[in-house]
Amino acid sequence: MELHDVWFVLIAFLWTGYFFLEGFDFGVGVLTKLLARNRPEKRVLINTIGPVWDGNEVWLLTAGGATFAAFPEWYATLFSGFYLPLLVILLCLIIRGVAFEYRVKRPEERWQRNWEHAIFWTSLIPAFLWGVAFGNIVGGVKIDRDLEYVGTLGDLFNPYALLGGLVTLTLFTFHGTVFTALKTVGEIRERARKLALRVGLLTAVLALVFLLWTQADSGDGASLVALVVAVAALVAALVANQAGREGWAFTLSGVTIVAAVAMLFLTLFPNVMPSTLNPDWSLTVTNASSSPYTLKIMTWLAAIGTPVVLLYQGWTYWVFRKRIGTQHLADAAH
C-alpha cells in the first residue's frame, strides 16, 4: 500500500472519530430544545458534554490539517468550492464554544436563554451541513480540467446532498439521545429513551434510503458489507434502547456512524472528489497528494502523536463517566 493510500485511510479514520464524538455532542445540543423542559434540565444536558465537547472538536482540526498536508489539491478544491457552507460551520462552532462558556457568566434569564438558543442552532446547523458536504464529496461535484470547482452554491444543495444532511442531523440527534440516556438519571433519562425510539425510527428510514442510493450509484462489495453493518447496528441500537441497555445502545449507535462513514469512504476511493463533468478530471489519491517525502514525515509524526491523544481523551471520558441529574446541580446563585 502506497503512503497516499495510507493517508486516505487515516483521514477517513479522523473523520469517523470526529463524527462519532462530535455526533453525540451536536445531538445533545439539539436536545436542549427537544428534550429539556426547564432550565435545570438544560443545565444537565449541557453538563453531560461540558468536559468533552472541546476535545471532540480536536478531531476536526486534525482531519482538516491532515487533509491540507497530505492532499493539498483536495484541500484547496474542497475549501474553495465549499467555502460558504464551511464558513457557516466554522462560525457556528465559534459561537457554540462561546455559548458554552458565557451562558453562566450572568444570572439573568434572558441572557441564559439567548445563549441556549445559540447552542441549539449552532448544533443543528453544522450537523445538517456536514451531511450536505459529504454528500457532495461522495456524489461528485463540477470539477474542471484544472481540478477547480466550477459549480455554484445552489449546485451543492442537490437532492442527494440534502438527504445526506437530513441523515447526519437525525443520526447525530439519535446518537445524542442515547448518550443522554446513558449519562443521566431520573425522569430525563426515561424521556430520552422514549425520544430515542422515535428519532431512531426516522433515522433508520432516511439512512436506509441514503445508503442504498449511495450503493446503487457507486458501491461495491465492501461498501455493501458496510451498509449492512450500519443498518443492523442501528436496528440493534433501537432494540438495546428499548431494553434499557443504554451502554449497548450508545455503542451500537456509534457503530452505525462508523460503518456509514466507512461506506462513504469505500465508495469514494480511489477518488477524493469525483468530477461530474468528466471522470478524468476527478481528484484522486494520486493526483491530489503531497510528495512521498512529505507523507513519510507525516506518517512518523502521526505514529508518535496519535496514541498519546487517544490515551488522553480516553482518560478524560473515564474521569467523567458517572451519570448526573438535576439533583447534582450546584446552586446557581452567585
Side-chain angles (χ1 to χ4, degrees):
M1 182 181 287
E2 299 289 337
L3 281 179
H4 50 66
D5 297 332
V6 172
W7 273 97
F8 179 86
V9 174
L10 289 176
I11 288 172
F13 170 76
L14 291 171
W15 280 110
T16 302
Y18 174 67
F19 288 141
F20 180 95
L21 296 172
E22 192 83 315
F24 72 77
D25 197 326
F26 285 143
V28 171
V30 173
L31 291 178
T32 57
K33 289 285 189 184
L34 300 184
L35 184 64
R37 292 178 175 175
N38 50 48
R39 179 139 295 110
E41 289 189 352
K42 290 181 180 181
R43 290 179 60 194
V44 168
L45 289 175
I46 294 171
N47 286 352
T48 61
I49 59 174
V52 297
W53 68 267
D54 49 354
N56 294 343
E57 292 185 357
V58 171
W59 288 76
L60 172 61
L61 299 176
T62 308
T67 303
F68 171 77
F71 299 100
E73 287 285 354
W74 184 13
Y75 182 93
T77 303
L78 175 65
F79 280 79
S80 60
F82 295 14
Y83 178 78
L84 285 178
L86 293 178
L87 177 62
V88 171
I89 291 175
L90 176 61
L91 291 175
C92 284
L93 295 180
I94 292 172
I95 296 172
R96 189 168 182 263
V98 172
F100 282 132
E101 299 296 333
Y102 274 65
R103 176 184 165 275
V104 295
K105 296 301 182 182
R106 289 171 56 179
E108 292 88 346
E109 180 178 351
R110 183 177 179 182
W111 170 273
Q112 296 191 3
R113 185 174 62 249
N114 287 339
W115 287 119
E116 288 163 1
H117 289 322
I119 291 172
F120 170 76
W121 287 108
T122 56
S123 298
L124 184 148
I125 293 172
F128 174 75
L129 288 180
W130 279 127
V132 173
F134 270 81
N136 281 288
I137 291 173
V138 174
V141 291
K142 295 179 179 179
I143 298 176
D144 64 10
R145 66 173 67 250
D146 296 321
L147 306 182
E148 294 181 0
Y149 177 72
V150 293
T152 65
L153 178 63
D155 292 331
L156 298 179
F157 293 93
N158 55 78
Y160 177 76
L162 290 173
L163 178 58
L166 292 176
V167 170
T168 52
L169 175 58
T170 55
L171 181 55
F172 291 169
T173 304
F174 173 69
H175 197 39
T177 307
V178 294
F179 176 78
T180 300
L182 175 65
K183 286 289 293 179
T184 58
V185 295
E187 184 183 353
I188 192 171
R189 174 189 177 190
E190 296 303 319
R191 279 191 278 114
R193 286 175 52 196
K194 293 178 181 178
L195 181 60
L197 176 62
R198 298 196 294 270
V199 176
L201 291 174
L202 176 60
T203 302
V205 173
L206 293 174
L208 183 61
V209 174
F210 179 75
L211 295 180
L212 287 175
W213 189 344
T214 305
Q215 179 66 24
D217 186 54
S218 54
D220 56 15
S223 63
L224 180 60
V225 172
L227 185 156
V228 172
V229 171
V231 173
L234 182 54
V235 172
L238 287 169
V239 173
N241 175 72
Q242 286 301 100
R245 303 296 298 272
E246 291 97 346
W248 278 108
F250 177 72
T251 301
L252 289 165
S253 69
V255 172
T256 302
I257 293 175
V258 171
V261 176
M263 180 190 174
L264 295 182
F265 277 96
L266 285 169
T267 59
L268 187 61
F269 185 82
N271 294 321
V272 293
M273 283 189 75
S275 173
T276 57
L277 300 179
N278 188 329
D280 294 334
W281 298 343
S282 298
L283 289 170
T284 68
V285 293
T286 303
N287 65 17
S289 68
S290 295
S291 67
Y293 182 70
T294 299
L295 296 177
K296 184 176 181 180
I297 294 176
M298 289 175 60
T299 303
W300 279 108
L301 292 175
I304 296 171
T306 303
V308 176
V309 174
L310 291 175
L311 287 172
Y312 173 77
Q313 193 158 27
W315 176 78
T316 302
Y317 277 93
W318 175 256
V319 170
F320 295 100
R321 66 188 183 278
K322 293 185 178 180
R323 296 177 183 268
I324 61 174
T326 54
Q327 66 271 28
H328 301 123
L329 298 176
D331 188 356
H334 294 280

